[in-house]
Amino acid sequence: MSDWFERYNGLSQLGREHTPDYRGYVVRVDSEPNPEKWFTYAFDQDDQHTYWLGMSDTEAEAKAVLERLLVHGWVCEVFENSQAGHCKDQAVKVKHIWHERGQERLRSLLCERHGDVFSDWAQMTIPAYIRTYNGLEQDAAFIGKRL
Ligand SMILES: [Zn+2]
């Protein structure tokens, strides 16, 4: 994997920008008086597009979000049962729907095996979803952590 470079205090990049090794960056958000937050962004080499991956409490956690994506890719988010926990298969699509109240969009990453759940939700490929909404956050809809 590429190395992290600290551009300045509060912004680190994974790989050198403008090279084929570049993968994205983490940045500290000035949040005084609130606790500090870090945003993670991925850079897609194929379409030269930077997109949102999520928010973390520490720089280390923010870096881990990008590293996890590069190692494991997008993972299905279906909860199977209390024994197996969440599905660990590779996700192949995103299904999404607007929540009836408010402006919230519900969405779920799904593998081939679970591709038919949420049959009335709209469906997109993962790259198309990222291009359309400029971001995707693994496990964002979970209450608590992935089992
Ligand atoms: Zn699955």
Side-chain angles (χ1 to χ4, degrees):
M1 186 178 296
S2 307
D3 293 324
W4 287 98
F5 295 97
E6 188 174 56
R7 275 279 297 274
Y8 54 81
N9 183 10
L11 191 149
S12 291
Q13 297 173 316
L14 186 57
R16 292 277 185 197
E17 208 172 1
H18 310 301
T19 73
D21 293 333
Y22 181 55
R23 293 292 178 266
Y25 66 95
V26 297
V27 62
R28 186 178 55 229
V29 180
D30 197 359
S31 51
E32 292 290 340
N34 302 309
E36 76 175 32
K37 292 289 179 195
W38 289 80
F39 289 175
T40 305
Y41 293 89
F43 180 74
D44 185 329
Q45 286 281 347
D46 291 337
D47 59 7
Q48 301 284 299
H49 178 224
T50 298
Y51 62 94
W52 161 265
L53 281 183
M55 183 173 74
S56 304
D57 292 334
T58 68
E59 181 175 17
E61 289 171 38
K63 288 178 174 177
V65 169
L66 180 54
E67 291 171 351
R68 190 217 57 76
L69 175 66
L70 296 174
V71 172
H72 299 290
W74 298 105
V75 181
C76 179
E77 295 177 330
V78 168
F79 184 79
E80 300 207 84
N81 56 58
S82 55
Q83 295 287 307
H86 294 89
C87 180
K88 295 162 185 67
D89 293 348
Q90 208 67 38
V92 295
K93 66 176 84 168
V94 181
K95 282 193 173 179
H96 57 106
I97 191 169
W98 284 99
H99 200 279
E100 290 190 11
R101 291 172 206 209
Q103 302 298 310
E104 196 182 3
R105 190 177 56 251
L106 303 177
R107 62 122 204 93
S108 188
L109 284 154
L110 299 172
C111 68
E112 207 73 70
R113 190 162 52 93
H114 289 119
D116 293 336
V117 304
F118 308 125
S119 57
D120 56 336
W121 291 21
Q123 147 177 333
M124 290 175 110
T125 66
I126 293 169
Y129 187 93
I130 288 170
R131 278 195 301 273
T132 303
Y133 296 106
N134 208 31
L136 187 56
E137 193 176 355
Q138 178 76 56
D139 302 347
F142 289 8
I143 297 164
K145 298 234 181 248
R146 172 175 283 271
L147 296 185

